[in-house]
Amino acid sequence: MGRSPCCEKNGLKKGPWTAEEDQKLIDYIQKNGYGNWRTLPKNAGLQRCGKSCRLRWTNYLRPDIKRGRFSFEEEETIIQLHSVLGNKWSAIAARLPGRTDNEIKNYWNTHIRKRLLRMGIDPVTHNPRLDLLDISSILSSSFYSSSHSNMFGVQPMVNPELLRLAASLLSSQRNSPNPNYAQQNGQENQFGNPHQVQENHLVQVQNQDHQTLIQEIPSCAPLSDPSCVPFSSEPAQLIEPNVDQLPSSYSHFNTQTCQLNDWQNNLDNFIAMENYGYQSNLTSSDYDFTSQISNLSTPSSSPAPLNSNSNSTNYINGSSTEDEREISYCGNLFKYEYQDILDSNVFM
DNA sequence: AACACGGCCAACCGCCTGAAT
DNA sequence: CATTCAGGCGGTTGGCCGTGT
């Protein structure tokens, strides 16, 4: 009746693998392939249980594993996938070649989760933490502006559609496609088909205490409205666009400047811009470079006088990140360029 | 130098599902 | 059909290491 036990429970080694054990496992799999983990340890001369061997191989020894730091793109992909799939680490890993579910899970718990919390986002539901939100401040805030014409002074980083979208914030909680959120609220995903999830806006607001809050708001605008094209939180390959509703042309560059002392405060704004669908020249390293910015902020490194009519030649390019990305600044102003790529991003 | 503390991550634990018997 | 186990998965743990005091 039933199968025989895969291995003896006693006498098997546990704990960290030695280099010798690793080599035995590698040699055996290279020669015989993997599978049948039940008999593999014995055949390979390992005093390990098959399960331990499988984990060691899949999480560490596999030749196609990509080691090292997660790229910004990978990080964004993880966040987007998690917003749709929840803690389905294996499903997320399947869309990130070379990364294991264990590695992604660890990275989420040690990096991304904390970052989202700092941004005021609930890492489980991917919705703003309403306990931090003062929505009335959105409507009264001078932070809002519909124009980029004022090139100097602190610019609003909020999409002009924010006010209208913010009105739907409360309903967005009920309509969240996040399975975690639906589960928490005892609801089914109203979209049924997992490939047809609702698209969300991630927008950033400031409250009266100048606290930065990020909000996820479901799109309420038709795609035919070029001023409000939704940014998808779904991986691009899952989107099935309605070509007939594609905006014809909607791509341009914008330039953003801010006062030097507000750079750090505005960094989160830039992150929010990216989340909203803007492509920036920031990389993952930029999120941790406040100390480098501080160095640039010293008088010796910002010698140029402020010139409100400066063109690019009047700006000093500060190599402010480890990967040689440059951010322009002039006097006490930083210039930040971002490209609106909504037309190519939504239906990629 | 010594210690405490926290971050990180490899590995384990326990549960679930489907297949084998 | 019942039982048993392999494989897969997500959650958790424990030890290593870097940093601060």
Side-chain angles (χ1 to χ4, degrees):
Chain A
M1 202 53 96
R3 293 182 171 182
S4 58
C6 69
C7 55
E8 293 293 333
K9 298 296 180 186
N10 298 326
L12 296 179
K13 187 180 176 186
K14 292 170 65 175
W17 281 63
T18 65
E20 183 183 3
E21 288 177 311
D22 282 346
Q23 197 56 53
K24 280 185 179 179
L25 183 57
I26 291 171
D27 290 344
Y28 179 85
I29 290 178
Q30 283 180 345
K31 186 176 181 181
N32 303 284
Y34 60 86
N36 199 356
W37 296 104
R38 172 192 172 194
T39 59
L40 187 148
K42 182 181 177 181
N43 295 335
L46 290 163
Q47 298 297 312
R48 295 271 184 176
C49 103
K51 193 172 184 175
S52 179
C53 293
R54 180 174 56 83
L55 284 173
R56 183 64 178 171
W57 175 258
T58 57
N59 287 337
Y60 196 82
L61 297 177
R62 232 174 52 202
D64 57 332
I65 285 183
K66 186 194 298 181
R67 315 297 302 183
R69 181 185 175 87
F70 280 76
S71 68
F72 175 68
E73 289 75 18
E74 286 177 312
E75 189 172 316
E76 289 300 301
T77 300
I78 291 170
I79 294 173
Q80 291 185 0
L81 289 171
H82 187 274
S83 71
V84 178
L85 300 170
N87 290 1
K88 303 294 184 184
W89 305 117
S90 61
I92 294 173
R95 298 174 186 278
L96 282 169
R99 301 295 188 181
T100 69
D101 55 352
N102 203 39
E103 191 177 16
I104 293 170
K105 178 175 58 182
N106 284 332
Y107 190 71
W108 175 271
N109 288 326
T110 57
H111 292 92
I112 301 177
R113 185 175 176 276
K114 294 173 184 175
R115 177 183 147 199
L116 293 180
L117 286 171
R118 280 198 303 270
M119 295 168 69
I121 298 175
D122 186 328
V124 176
T125 66
H126 289 254
N127 285 317
R129 296 169 62 193
L130 291 180
D131 55 322
L132 301 177
L133 174 64
D134 177 6
I135 194 169
S136 63
S137 67
I138 302 171
L139 303 178
S140 60
S141 173
S142 60
F143 192 67
Y144 167 75
S145 169
S146 60
S147 169
H148 291 288
S149 59
N150 178 13
M151 290 285 293
F152 299 92
V154 179
Q155 281 285 322
M157 297 298 171
V158 183
N159 186 288
E161 287 298 313
L162 171 61
L163 283 178
R164 189 164 62 85
L165 294 172
S168 66
L169 173 63
L170 294 179
S171 63
S172 78
Q173 291 289 328
R174 291 193 302 270
N175 295 333
S176 169
N178 186 311
N180 291 332
Y181 185 83
Q183 188 176 13
Q184 285 184 353
N185 292 274
Q187 297 173 341
E188 296 292 335
N189 182 342
Q190 63 170 322
F191 303 99
N193 182 351
H195 289 202
Q196 296 291 327
V197 300
Q198 185 174 7
E199 292 164 336
N200 300 311
H201 291 280
L202 287 172
V203 296
Q204 189 231 337
V205 299
Q206 272 190 344
N207 64 15
Q208 292 169 335
D209 297 326
H210 301 290
Q211 291 176 308
T212 299
L213 303 174
I214 309 296
Q215 299 177 13
E216 186 178 19
I217 302 174
S219 170
C220 59
L223 293 177
S224 56
D225 178 1
S227 65
C228 187
V229 181
F231 172 63
S232 175
S233 62
E234 178 76 345
Q237 63 268 29
L238 296 183
I239 297 296
E240 296 180 10
N242 183 344
V243 178
D244 294 335
Q245 295 184 5
L246 276 170
S248 57
S249 176
Y250 195 61
S251 181
H252 57 275
F253 274 92
N254 288 313
T255 299
Q256 195 72 61
T257 62
C258 69
Q259 292 178 4
L260 187 61
N261 292 338
D262 287 313
W263 168 260
Q264 289 182 218
N265 292 336
N266 279 307
L267 183 59
D268 284 343
N269 293 0
F270 297 147
I271 296 170
M273 291 289 289
E274 293 175 349
N275 287 337
Y276 192 71
Y278 292 93
Q279 182 180 46
S280 77
N281 58 1
L282 294 182
T283 66
S284 57
S285 60
D286 293 303
Y287 300 122
D288 301 315
F289 78 151
T290 52
S291 62
Q292 299 175 52
I293 285 294
S294 296
N295 292 334
L296 286 174
S297 304
T298 60
S300 61
S301 59
S302 54
L306 173 62
N307 179 353
S308 62
N309 294 316
S310 293
N311 56 31
S312 59
T313 60
N314 297 113
Y315 283 85
I316 296 173
N317 291 325
S319 181
S320 55
T321 67
E322 60 188 19
D323 59 354
E324 302 300 328
R325 295 279 181 160
E326 291 184 344
I327 296 175
S328 302
Y329 67 97
C330 175
N332 65 342
L333 292 180
F334 270 97
K335 185 181 77 170
Y336 171 81
E337 289 189 347
Y338 57 91
Q339 182 184 12
D340 186 334
I341 57 163
L342 293 176
D343 57 344
S344 61
N345 188 39
V346 175
F347 300 117
M348 192 184 307

